Amino acid sequence: ALQADFIEPAMVQGDLYHLRSFPALISGMDAVVGELWSFHREDFVETVRRIDGVERYQQGADDYYERRVVTCLTSKHQELAA
């Protein structure tokens, strides 16, 4: 079973919207607080595959979101790419 190495509070910069049954984060100036989940490197591909299945993400024009790497600020004041 895939398990997170750690989960910690983190913040990204953007604007958060509620789109019916799911949230949407876009580029913006607000501070959006959530969680940073870290997984074993060897589990990365399988973890992303499972998340994509839940989100129905297929890297196409009909997807609900576009995956992007963003900088987050952790509760330990570390800036990390996520």
Side-chain angles (χ1 to χ4, degrees), residues 19-52:
L19 303 178
R20 296 187 185 176
S21 61
F22 57 89
L25 176 68
I26 63 169
S27 296
M29 300 304 294
D30 289 338
V32 179
V33 178
E35 294 176 334
L36 174 64
W37 289 50
S38 179
F39 294 88
H40 291 290
R41 185 174 302 272
E42 60 269 12
D43 292 336
F44 179 78
V45 172
E46 179 63 15
T47 300
V48 171
R49 186 190 71 74
R50 289 185 186 188
I51 292 170
D52 287 349

